[in-house]
């Protein structure tokens, strides 16, 4: 913008200077030529009138030569040519007057009764030719037929106007330089608050809601700065309110979950007793006892998951990391839940990384449990390694099934909390609750409905390791199923995050 402003100032100054130069040159040239023309015409008219008083008609060649010489002497030695019918005389016998006195001027002199003039160029030099007929006031002589032409050299006037043009041209450079300097000063005055406003806007966009702009003056830029500050104040206040509300919501979820643990523990004990004695109850009572036990277990898992989510939201989740063989971790997770015979594994040996084994178990349980519950066999778990674009090694764990796959658009929301892939269901089909079953001590993969938090917790656990989880449709002919891919960095030394929750 500074460049455009300076260029605009310089362009305007240059155009103005050139225009002023052209106008000044034209006016000066016109004034000089007009003055010279008027002086020449008046001099010729006065001199011819003075000499013609004593001139006798008809003249002979000698008297005509003498007449031309006398007129020339009275007008500063200009070249004078005189014609009378077939006779002609020149004050300078060596001057070429015929080339400088045009036919049009001769015709105008013969047809008129006063002096006329014409500017001509002869041999690339400018000249002024003044012509006039000689007429007598008395009735005896009247129109004499005598024509007088005076040739004035205009080279001095040309040089004067050229010198003036050079002087004006020489003044263009300092004018343009001055305009550039003024443009820089004006650009600095205008752009300095704009740059400050831009810097404050970038800081605000980067999250610094305390960024403000100093307001100086009462112009439009000052109004813009005031508006920006008011907007930033409103945004900061809104952000503070939202943060406070979010903190209250997190505390509420954590408090509710914590308060529910004690009654849920009692309910779980009662439900366990009822389930153990269900065979001794009537069929309807036995079915109700088993339903209460299942729903109580699901509610307990939901509370545990809510508490886990609240720890992630509060930034209280920590890794208890140690170097671990990922293939052994996957096998142990499958064996714990009795999935070894239901899942096909392709696990590369020797893939070791510094991870929190419990959290990796939660991720595997969630992904495999979802594939078994919502997909179709064969469910395949693949472990391999790869390198990123920067050459860093990564572990890649894929869980694929051959079920119906994800509904259109579900891939972008499958990790949302409580997301329902099928709105007709009362609970989400993507979460399973068994993602935290290992942590809660509950057997996973029971085939029941999930809470809708399992995939969200799995993704948070992956991010806590510096990794991620991606989802896509499997390749091949339909039904292709879905593929969930866990990516973890292969670190063989402690990440500096060890600790307990």
């Amino acid at each position: 913008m500074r460049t455009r402003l300076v260029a605009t100032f310089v362009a305007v100054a240059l155009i103005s200077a050139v225009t002023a130069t052209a106008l000044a040159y034209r006016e000066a040239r016109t004034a000089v030529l007009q003055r010279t023309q008027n002086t020449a015409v008046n001099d010729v008219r006065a001199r011819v009138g003075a000499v013609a008083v004593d001139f006798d008609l008809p003249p002979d060649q000698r008297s005509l030569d003498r007449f031309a010489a006398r007129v020339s002497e009275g007008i500063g030695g200009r070249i004078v040519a005189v014609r009378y019918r077939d006779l002609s005389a020149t004050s300078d016998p060596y001057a070429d007057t015929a080339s400088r006195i045009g036919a049009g001027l001769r015709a105008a002199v013969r047809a008129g009764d006063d002096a006329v003039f014409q500017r001509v160029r002869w041999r690339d030099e400018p000249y002024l030719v003044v012509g006039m007929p000689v007429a007598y006031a008395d009735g005896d002589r009247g129109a004499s037929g005598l024509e007088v032409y005076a040739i004035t050299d205009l080279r001095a006037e040309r040089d004067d106007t050229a010198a003036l043009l050079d002087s004006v041209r020489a003044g263009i450079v300092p004018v343009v330089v001055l305009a550039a300097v003024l443009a820089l000063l004006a650009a600095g005055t205008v752009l300095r608050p704009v740059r400050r406003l831009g810097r404050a806007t970038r800081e605000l966009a980067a999250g610094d809601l305390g960024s403000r702009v100093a307001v100086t003056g009462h112009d439009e830029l000052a109004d813009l700065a005031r508006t920006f500050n008011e907007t930033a104040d409103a945004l900061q206040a809104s952000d503070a309110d939202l943060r406070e509300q979010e903190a209250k919501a997190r505390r509420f979820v954590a408090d509710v979950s914590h308060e529910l643990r004690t009654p849920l523990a009692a309910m779980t004990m009662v439900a366990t007793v009822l389930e153990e004695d269900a065979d001794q109850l009537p069929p309807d009572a036995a079915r109700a006892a088993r339903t209460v036990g299942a729903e109580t277990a699901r509610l307990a898992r939901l509370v545990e998951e809510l508490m886990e989510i609240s720890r992630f939201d509060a930034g209280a989740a920590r890794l208890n990391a140690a170097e671990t063989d990922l293939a052994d971790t996957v096998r142990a997770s499958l064996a714990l839940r009795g999935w070894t015979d239901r899942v096909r594994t392709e696990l590369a040996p020797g893939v070791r990384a510094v991870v929190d084994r419990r959290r990796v178990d939660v991720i595997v349980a969630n992904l495999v449990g979802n594939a078994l519950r919502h997909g179709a066999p064969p469910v395949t778990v693949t472990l391999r390694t790869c390198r990123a674009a920067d050459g860093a090694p990564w572990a890649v764990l894929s869980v694929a099934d051959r079920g119906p796959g994800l509904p259109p658009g579900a891939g972008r929301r499958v990790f949302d909390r409580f997301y329902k892939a099928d709105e007709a269901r009362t609970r989400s089909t993507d979460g399973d609750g068994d993602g935290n079953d290992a942590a809660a001590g509950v057997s996973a993969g029971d085939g029941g409905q999930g809470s809708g938090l399992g995939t969200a917790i799995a993704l948070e656990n992956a991010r806590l390791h510096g990794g991620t989880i991606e989802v896509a449709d499997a390749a091949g002919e339909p039904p292709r199923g879905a593929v969930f891919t866990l990516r973890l960095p292969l670190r063989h030394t402690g990440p500096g995050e060890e600790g307990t929750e």
Side-chain angles (χ1 to χ4, degrees):
M1 190 172 179
R2 176 191 293 272
T3 304
R4 290 197 298 270
L5 283 174
V6 173
T8 301
F9 266 83
V10 171
V12 170
L14 184 60
I15 293 172
S16 301
V18 170
T19 303
T21 299
L23 292 175
Y25 173 73
R26 188 186 67 178
E27 294 299 325
R29 181 173 179 273
T30 300
V32 170
L33 292 178
Q34 187 68 42
R35 182 189 62 198
T36 303
Q37 290 164 184
N38 293 339
T39 301
V41 169
N42 292 334
D43 289 348
V44 170
R45 185 184 290 119
R47 185 59 181 170
V48 168
V51 175
V53 173
D54 300 330
F55 189 69
D56 295 328
L57 294 173
D60 55 15
Q61 185 63 47
R62 175 176 289 183
S63 61
L64 202 61
D65 291 340
R66 190 165 50 251
F67 182 84
R70 291 182 62 191
V71 172
S72 176
E73 291 172 359
I75 57 175
R78 299 187 183 100
I79 299 174
V80 176
V82 182
R83 293 181 62 87
Y84 180 78
R85 297 179 183 176
D86 294 335
L87 297 176
S88 62
T90 306
S91 61
D92 184 354
Y94 300 102
D96 182 4
T97 58
S99 300
R100 285 177 273 188
I101 302 174
L105 182 62
R106 294 179 186 276
V109 170
R110 293 192 186 103
D113 56 359
D114 197 4
V116 294
F117 62 87
Q118 182 181 32
R119 291 195 297 271
V120 298
R121 294 193 68 84
W122 180 68
R123 295 180 180 177
D124 285 335
E125 299 293 343
Y127 293 92
L128 175 67
V129 181
V130 179
M132 62 176 296
V134 177
Y136 294 94
D138 58 341
D140 294 335
R141 292 190 289 180
S144 64
L146 186 65
E147 303 170 10
V148 180
Y149 300 93
I151 302 174
T152 302
D153 191 348
L154 295 180
R155 284 179 289 185
E157 286 74 11
R158 178 199 61 189
D159 294 341
D160 291 342
T161 55
L164 175 63
L165 180 61
D166 292 339
S167 300
V168 177
R169 282 176 178 171
I172 292 178
V173 175
V175 168
V176 172
V177 172
L178 180 61
V181 173
L182 293 177
L184 287 173
L185 295 176
T189 303
V190 173
L191 295 181
R192 193 175 297 110
V194 173
R195 284 196 298 270
R196 287 198 298 264
L197 185 60
R199 189 183 308 112
T201 303
R202 288 190 294 271
E203 292 173 353
L204 193 67
D208 182 8
L209 300 183
S211 178
R212 297 294 184 271
V213 180
V215 180
T216 56
H218 302 281
D219 55 6
E220 290 80 0
L221 290 175
D223 293 339
L224 180 60
R226 275 190 290 271
T227 302
F228 172 83
N229 290 340
E230 293 170 359
T231 304
D233 291 338
L235 182 61
Q236 189 173 26
S238 299
D239 178 74
D241 292 341
L242 289 175
R243 289 180 184 275
E244 184 179 0
Q245 294 175 12
E246 184 179 6
K248 289 180 179 179
R250 289 174 178 173
R251 286 195 300 270
F252 176 77
V253 172
D255 293 343
V256 168
S257 301
H258 187 270
E259 293 298 326
L260 286 176
R261 296 183 76 175
T262 300
L264 274 175
M267 291 174 61
T268 301
M269 291 170 46
V270 173
T272 302
V273 172
L274 289 175
E275 284 187 288
E276 290 176 352
D277 296 336
D279 294 337
Q280 302 175 12
L281 298 175
D284 291 342
R287 186 164 47 253
R290 293 188 180 94
T291 301
V292 169
E295 292 300 323
T296 301
R298 183 176 295 117
L299 183 58
R301 289 197 299 269
L302 176 59
V303 170
E304 291 295 333
E305 290 177 349
L306 286 174
M307 294 190 67
E308 183 77 355
I309 284 290
S310 66
R311 281 192 288 268
F312 281 118
D313 290 343
R318 295 291 183 269
L319 289 178
N320 187 12
E323 188 165 333
T324 304
D325 188 304
L326 294 182
D328 289 344
T329 302
V330 172
R331 292 190 189 96
S333 181
L334 298 179
L336 177 64
R337 293 162 180 82
W339 292 341
T340 303
D341 296 335
R342 301 173 59 187
V343 176
R344 185 172 63 189
T345 58
E346 299 175 4
L347 308 177
V351 181
R352 302 183 65 83
V354 177
V355 296
D356 187 328
R357 183 175 181 127
R358 185 190 68 81
R359 293 185 182 278
V360 173
D361 174 77
V362 169
I363 298 172
V364 172
N366 175 264
L367 299 183
V368 176
N370 275 342
L372 292 172
R373 180 177 303 107
H374 306 299
V379 174
T380 304
V381 179
T382 304
L383 176 64
R384 59 185 177 86
T385 60
C386 70
R387 289 193 176 273
D390 59 358
W394 287 72
V396 180
L397 178 70
S398 300
V399 179
D401 65 76
R402 284 293 174 177
L406 295 173
R412 296 189 300 271
R413 302 182 57 194
V414 71
F415 297 103
D416 292 350
R417 300 172 186 180
F418 299 107
Y419 168 66
K420 298 179 180 180
D422 184 354
E423 295 295 338
R425 300 185 180 182
T426 58
R427 290 189 177 93
S428 171
T429 59
D430 71 312
D432 52 57
D434 51 11
N436 259 2
D437 287 345
V442 180
S443 176
D446 57 3
Q449 292 282 352
S451 66
L453 293 174
T455 50
I457 292 175
L459 180 60
E460 293 293 344
N461 279 318
R463 289 174 175 170
L464 197 60
H465 286 85
T468 186
I469 301 178
E470 301 168 355
V471 61
D473 290 331
E477 296 295 329
R480 294 180 297 178
V483 179
F484 283 79
T485 303
L486 167 66
R487 300 179 186 274
L488 295 176
L490 284 179
R491 292 193 294 256
H492 298 286
T493 57
E497 298 173 317
E498 295 188 7
T500 58
E501 298 180 47

